[in-house]
């Protein structure tokens, strides 16, 4: 009996450590951008689904937003369509857009909905097209001072949270694919999933935005050091943006947009760590990098 007590005690301590965080986040909306290794590794996918359902049972309101870069590239290859990138964005022809839409809404989203629904009737898939959830216009990046046409790549113009709020009120977990329809020309556009998650978090007045990545967080002095910055303010992040690698820019811009528009915290966390979402939300240490609004104490957490 004494052995049983002894082995169970750390579990109780872990649960108790989570109590203040459970209290703080109860009833709050959390927007999670699903991507990177967590999206292609079977064990990480299963752990991600468990985490999201755990949040739902713990009284939070999770919303999942996903892209699907590796899956899109693989499917374009199968169709004999070349993947070309300009200014870090995929050049998306009308033919490629058909593949993007099919992969995001018909493959990645379906798989994620299936994983979540192994735990109960929770997940409902939708795309930015549904109920005008995300509207976009054609995005033309500037390269060497020239505006460049990269096809069906969208810039978000409006968010309508009605359908997502209705699902959350019904106890469901919305799973949103980052494609959007344009009010200008009626075409469907591919939208960066980091940007879409940040815009949704702001529009929903979320408590936090969590972006899963394939790194430990934002490094202090990469590549000279692998020390992760655990916490920084919006102003501190803005100063760092020009020095960041191209893959981190949309993620950190998304975090900046979120905390400047009413989201309390935005976090970049390592999706290669099983249950990283629970570690970040429910433990004192947390993992990854947390961005807080200006006027909130900076420095280490």
């Amino acid at each position: 009996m004494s052995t049983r007590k002894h082995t169970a005690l750390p579990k109780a301590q872990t649960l108790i450590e989570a109590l203040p965080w459970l209290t703080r986040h109860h009833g709050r909306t959390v927007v999670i951008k699903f991507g990177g290794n967590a999206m292609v590794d079977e064990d990480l996918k299963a752990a991600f689904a468990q985490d999201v359902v755990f949040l739902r049972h713990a009284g939070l309101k999770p919303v999942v937003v996903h892209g699907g870069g590796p899956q899109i590239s693989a499917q374009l290859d199968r169709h004999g369509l070349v993947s070309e990138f300009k200014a870090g964005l995929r050049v998306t022809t009308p033919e490629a857009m058909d593949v993007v839409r099919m992969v995001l809404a018909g493959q990645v989203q379906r798989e994620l909905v299936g994983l979540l629904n192994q735990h109960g009737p929770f997940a409902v898939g939708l795309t930015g097209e549904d109920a005008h959830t995300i509207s976009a216009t054609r995005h033309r990046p500037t390269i060497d001072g020239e505006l460049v046409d990269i096809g069906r790549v969208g810039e978000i113009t409006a968010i309508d949270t009605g359908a997502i709020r209705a699902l959350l009120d019904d106890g469901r977990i919305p799973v949103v694919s980052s494609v959007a329809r344009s009010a200008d020309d009626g075409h469907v556009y591919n939208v960066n999933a980091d940007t879409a998650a940040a815009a949704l978090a702001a529009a929903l007045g979320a408590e936090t935005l969590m972006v899963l990545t394939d790194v430990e967080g934002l490094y202090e002095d990469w590549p000279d050091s692998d020390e992760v910055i655990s916490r920084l303010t919006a102003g501190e992040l803005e100063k760092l943006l020009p020095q960041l690698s191209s893959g981190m820019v949309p993620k950190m811009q998304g975090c900046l947009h979120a905390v400047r528009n009413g989201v309390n915290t935005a976090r970049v966390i390592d999706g290669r760590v099983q249950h990283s979402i629970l570690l970040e939300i429910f433990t004192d240490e947390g993992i990854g990098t947390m961005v807080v609004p200006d006027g909130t104490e900076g420095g280490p957490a």
Side-chain angles (χ1 to χ4, degrees), residues 140-148:
R140 288 185 172 86
T142 304
I143 303 175
D144 300 328
E146 300 275 320
L147 278 176
V148 180

Side-chain angles (χ1 to χ4, degrees), residues 37-182:
N37 263 342
M39 199 179 224
V40 289
D41 178 288
E42 296 305 321
D43 292 338
L44 289 172
K45 272 194 280 202
F48 174 82
Q50 287 173 330
D51 285 6
V52 173
V53 172
F54 186 96
L55 295 184
R56 156 72 178 67
H57 281 306
L60 286 81
K61 295 178 173 181
V63 176
V64 179
V65 179
H66 71 89
Q71 294 91 334
I72 290 167
S73 294
Q75 199 61 250
L76 286 170
D77 282 350
R78 280 191 205 109
H79 283 75
L81 296 166
V82 178
S83 289
E84 187 191 351
F85 288 84
K86 288 184 182 173
L89 296 165
R90 187 188 298 275
V91 177
T92 309
T93 60
E95 297 77 21
M97 187 62 223
D98 288 342
V99 173
V100 168
R101 198 178 182 194
M102 178 177 75
V103 170
L104 292 181
Q107 180 189 335
V108 179
Q109 182 203 89
R110 292 295 94 208
E111 187 181 6
L112 193 44
V113 165
L115 284 168
L116 289 163
N117 286 344
Q118 284 176 10
H119 305 280
F122 301 127
V124 177
L126 64 158
T127 77
E129 297 172 67
D130 291 307
H132 293 173
T133 297
I134 306 173
S135 299
T137 189
R138 186 182 289 256
H139 173 63
R140 288 185 172 86
T142 304
I143 303 175
D144 300 328
E146 300 275 320
L147 278 176
V148 180
D149 187 352
I150 53 171
R152 298 280 178 84
V153 175
E155 198 169 307
I156 296 170
T157 53
I159 299 281
D160 184 328
T161 59
I164 289 178
R165 287 186 193 278
L167 288 167
L168 291 174
D169 289 345
D170 194 35
R172 311 294 177 184
I173 300 170
V175 178
V176 186
S177 307
S178 62
V179 291
R181 194 172 285 278
S182 166

